[in-house]
Amino acid sequence: MKGNLSGNEMRPELSLVIPAYNEEKRITTRIQNLIKYFDRALGEYELLVIADGCTDKTPDAVSEYTNNNPRVRLFVFPERLGKGGAIIEGFKLAKGDAIVIADADDSVPPEEILKLVREAEDQDVVIGSRYTRDSKLPMREPFLRYFLGRSFNALTKLMFWRLRGIADTQCGAKVVKRYVADKILGDLFITGFAIDVNLIYSAMRRGFKVKEVGITYTHIEHESKVSKALAKLVLGMFFSLIKLRLYYSRFRPVLDTKTMRKISSFLWNLTKA
């Protein structure tokens, strides 16, 4: 891993973590909008981009900002980590008292992220939601993606009863307090898109409170990694739920068997996107 560190060792109020895999066409606009907004809205913050095995010019695009702005930090991992793996590394590298996980597109605008941060002042974990009564969706996702997403949510609730009150585990905007991240880091092992379930459920199992807040979410289809590999991702996420269920059961040792490791490796290579 290659990374840049700011010379300022003061702990920032907030860490914004963006996992990025081949996002050269979207990441610069995202960084510009976040910097412009949070420079005015907050005192001390940092923005971490976790370049996840990129084969395009994402690191070069981000470097244009790191060279001129000490608040922007780039960490380049040459091998694929997966979205979950990138988020886990982001938790390890973030210095802030609160950690925001945000997608590389502008589907959740900066003002909505700040709303979640404010909600987290007296909460352990706050997650943005597209499916609560106060959510606003100016541009909705395609029907197939919506249907599969709702089906995944229903399956998640069946497998993990603590999540029965959560309408949207997968929205790309979450705030996790530093002390929560430190406590659950050892329980985070899902490297794919189901990391959100892993994170939320692990926090709940540890006794932390999770608040779901409706946000304004504008679906952006252009360059979407999810839409381009939807079938593969659904398979990978389903297998991730099985692994997470095994982890929190008396059958946890199964995860360490040679057979399970082979299946995990095969599906990771098949479904990574």
Side-chain angles (χ1 to χ4, degrees):
M1 177 199 74
K2 296 186 292 184
N4 72 300
L5 295 173
S6 168
N8 184 2
E9 293 301 322
M10 181 181 296
R11 180 182 290 275
E13 177 183 351
L14 184 72
S15 294
L16 296 156
V17 175
I18 301 178
Y21 170 61
N22 288 355
E23 293 287 0
E24 65 172 321
K25 295 181 180 179
R26 304 195 295 182
I27 194 71
T28 54
T29 300
R30 183 59 157 168
I31 292 175
Q32 288 173 358
N33 291 339
L34 289 171
I35 290 174
K36 182 178 179 180
Y37 185 83
F38 281 100
D39 275 356
R40 298 194 310 265
L42 285 180
E44 290 295 327
Y45 76 93
E46 62 175 358
L47 195 163
L48 284 68
V49 177
I50 312 298
D52 171 22
C54 297
T55 57
D56 67 353
K57 295 182 179 180
T58 297
D60 294 335
V62 178
S63 292
E64 295 182 12
Y65 295 92
T66 61
N67 293 335
N68 301 300
N69 190 331
R71 287 176 169 169
V72 182
R73 304 168 63 200
L74 168 65
F75 296 91
V76 179
F77 290 84
E79 302 295 329
R80 281 302 311 276
L81 303 172
K83 182 178 181 179
I87 288 173
I88 292 169
E89 293 301 326
F91 278 152
K92 295 176 183 177
L93 295 164
K95 299 178 180 179
D97 295 322
I99 303 169
V100 171
I101 303 167
D103 285 343
D105 62 17
D106 275 321
S107 54
V108 181
E111 57 269 25
E112 293 297 293
I113 292 176
L114 183 61
K115 181 173 77 172
L116 298 181
V117 173
R118 297 306 186 206
E119 289 281 351
E121 289 178 359
D122 59 351
Q123 300 289 331
D124 300 319
V125 178
V126 173
I127 62 175
S129 179
R130 297 163 292 181
Y131 304 119
T132 57
R133 290 184 178 180
D134 53 343
S135 303
K136 297 179 182 178
L137 304 175
M139 178 65 70
R140 294 178 179 270
E141 58 196 333
F143 175 77
L144 179 60
R145 182 164 166 177
Y146 170 80
F147 173 77
L148 292 174
R150 294 292 78 207
S151 299
F152 178 79
N153 183 260
L155 179 62
T156 299
K157 291 178 180 180
L158 285 174
M159 296 178 67
F160 304 94
W161 65 268
R162 281 185 172 86
L163 300 180
R164 65 188 183 278
I166 302 295
D168 187 6
T169 60
Q170 300 308 116
C171 181
K174 294 175 174 64
V175 184
V176 182
K177 289 292 187 62
R178 171 83 268 166
Y179 58 85
V180 178
D182 290 342
K183 284 287 187 180
I184 69 173
L185 192 56
D187 294 322
L188 300 181
F189 67 96
I190 299 298
T191 56
F193 280 78
I195 181 63
D196 303 89
V197 180
N198 189 181
L199 189 160
I200 296 168
Y201 188 71
S202 296
M204 287 182 166
R205 284 283 302 235
R206 291 274 184 174
F208 294 114
K209 293 182 179 179
V210 177
K211 182 176 182 180
E212 187 173 19
V213 176
I215 60 172
T216 298
Y217 181 96
T218 303
H219 177 72
I220 298 175
E221 187 68 10
H222 180 63
E223 294 296 320
S224 171
K225 303 296 184 299
V226 174
S227 295
K228 288 181 178 180
L230 196 56
K232 293 196 302 180
L233 289 177
V234 168
L235 176 61
M237 291 172 72
F238 174 70
F239 183 66
S240 293
L241 289 186
I242 294 175
K243 289 173 64 177
L244 189 61
R245 184 67 274 169
L246 288 172
Y247 182 82
Y248 284 108
S249 76
R250 65 180 183 274
F251 302 109
R252 182 186 295 192
V254 172
L255 294 173
D256 293 324
T257 63
K258 185 176 181 180
T259 299
M260 181 59 74
R261 288 197 297 269
K262 284 185 176 180
I263 294 173
S264 295
S265 178
F266 170 76
L267 287 176
W268 164 243
N269 289 318
L270 178 67
T271 64
K272 61 184 177 181

